[in-house]
Amino acid sequence: MFLLRQYFLLFLTAAIWGSGFVAQKTGIEHVSPYTFTFMRTLIGGLCLLPLLAVLNVINSKKQVKKTDRKMFIYGSMLCGFFLILSESLQQYGLLFTDVNKASFITALYMVFVPIIGLFAGHRLTLKLTLAVALSCLGLYLFCMKGEFSLAYGDTLVLLCALGFAFHILVISFFINKVDGVMLSCGQFFVASFLGFIMMALTGMPKTEELMMAAPAILYAGIMSNGIAYTLQIVGQKGVNPTIASLILSLESVNGAIFGVIMLNESMSAKEITGAVLMFSAIVLTQIRLRKRLFKKTSVALN
């Protein structure tokens, strides 16, 4: 039941992210990428402050160890750095490429996570390798409308995917050492601080520009950052980083599903095939677990 809950939180994260690409594309029509990234991360951190206040009251009788504080600071700095780096690269990339292609390239972090994880001592089984390959094929069928080629904007988004891979792996390391909500809030304020510096260096926005971009910034800040990234951190606890990246890569599929339900859009046979392959890849990662559960049930009945 614990893993099912964690998988659900990660799936919910992917669903919220899937609806956020449109807000990102709309927002940068009015403000610079660094302004958009700074504002969304700041709003994400501010949204979590009331929740942290409630949690502090609940946990007031518990003592926080000094090592926990140190790990919180290190975790916030590393997560915040990779978050602002990845989001900024993605925002700049969206200036030069379309949403479908950007969503496909961004989700390639599911390939980078197991590869980088090997250097960190993580195991990569044949089953996970097949699941990643199957999901990549499904993602390509789902997102790509024509031939695949890397232009300038696509390269930026590819670097963003690499940054998100490090972000996922850093979270998987620190989530077992610090509180998830605190880590999420900490990363947002670190990211917003770095984002503010870059915004100040590249040009401050005008009030009129901020007003026009406000709906997109608020949605990205509250939903994609404040809620979704916190769900990601909490949901990653106890979950293999590669499996987590596969579930999170469903953001593009979830975005299309929302379009079908809420905007009366349609999905082609190619897109449906791609979505089925991606879901099948995640099911593949759980086959062994289900066999074990079946064996335990059989033993109990006997």
Side-chain angles (χ1 to χ4, degrees), residues 38-54 181-182 184-193 217-218 220-223 225-227 230:
F38 159 68
M39 294 299 297
R40 67 180 290 188
T41 50
L42 178 62
I43 291 172
L46 292 175
C47 286
L48 292 183
L49 289 180
L51 178 58
L52 279 178
V54 174
V181 179
M182 285 186 63
S184 183
C185 188
Q187 74 164 353
F188 287 142
F189 283 119
V190 170
S192 62
F193 173 74
I217 291 174
L218 286 173
I222 297 172
M223 298 299 294
N225 278 50
I227 296 176
T230 304

Side-chain angles (χ1 to χ4, degrees), residues 104 108 110-111 129-144 246 270-271 273-278 281:
F104 168 69
L108 290 179
M110 66 180 170
V111 178
T129 303
L130 291 174
V132 170
L134 184 63
S135 188
C136 281
L137 175 61
L139 188 66
Y140 181 85
L141 292 175
F142 184 84
C143 293
M144 298 308 298
L246 287 173
K270 180 184 174 184
E271 290 173 323
T273 302
V276 170
L277 288 176
M278 292 182 71

Side-chain angles (χ1 to χ4, degrees), residues 218-239:
L218 286 173
Y219 185 86
I222 297 172
M223 298 299 294
S224 296
N225 278 50
I227 296 176
Y229 275 112
T230 304
L231 290 176
Q232 177 203 358
I233 288 179
V234 176
Q236 270 195 236
K237 188 172 185 177
V239 177

Side-chain angles (χ1 to χ4, degrees), residues 20 26 43 73 85 98 108 131 133 146-147 160 185 199 207 236 238 262 285 287 290 301:
T26 304
I43 291 172
I73 293 172
L85 175 67
D98 61 80
L108 290 179
E147 294 184 1
C160 138
C185 188
M199 180 183 70
T207 304
Q236 270 195 236
M262 302 178 66
T285 65
I287 289 178
R290 292 184 178 183
L301 290 175

Side-chain angles (χ1 to χ4, degrees), residues 23-160:
Q24 290 178 248
K25 190 74 173 179
T26 304
I28 56 176
E29 291 177 358
H30 307 291
V31 294
S32 70
Y34 278 122
T35 298
F36 189 88
T37 309
F38 159 68
M39 294 299 297
R40 67 180 290 188
T41 50
L42 178 62
I43 291 172
L46 292 175
C47 286
L48 292 183
L49 289 180
L51 178 58
L52 279 178
V54 174
L55 292 177
N56 285 334
V57 172
I58 296 174
N59 300 323
S60 58
K61 296 181 180 180
K62 297 181 180 180
Q63 293 183 349
V64 180
K65 299 179 181 179
K66 291 184 178 180
T67 53
D68 291 341
R69 291 193 181 96
K70 287 183 179 179
M71 296 305 289
F72 164 69
I73 293 172
Y74 294 150
S76 296
M77 291 177 66
L78 283 173
C79 289
F81 170 76
F82 284 115
L83 178 62
I84 192 68
L85 175 67
S86 304
E87 286 191 346
S88 298
L89 287 169
Q90 187 182 62
Q91 287 298 131
Y92 269 107
L94 282 170
L95 289 172
F96 307 101
T97 190
D98 61 80
V99 171
N100 283 334
K101 199 173 184 182
S103 64
F104 168 69
I105 298 174
T106 298
L108 290 179
Y109 55 66
M110 66 180 170
V111 178
F112 293 133
V113 166
I115 294 175
I116 300 170
L118 289 175
F119 295 95
H122 296 175
R123 291 181 59 201
L124 180 59
T125 63
L126 176 61
K127 181 177 65 177
L128 286 180
T129 303
L130 291 174
V132 170
L134 184 63
S135 188
C136 281
L137 175 61
L139 188 66
Y140 181 85
L141 292 175
F142 184 84
C143 293
M144 298 308 298
K145 309 301 181 184
E147 294 184 1
F148 179 74
S149 60
L150 280 179
Y152 175 68
D154 306 325
T155 304
L156 292 177
V157 180
L158 184 63
L159 292 174
C160 138

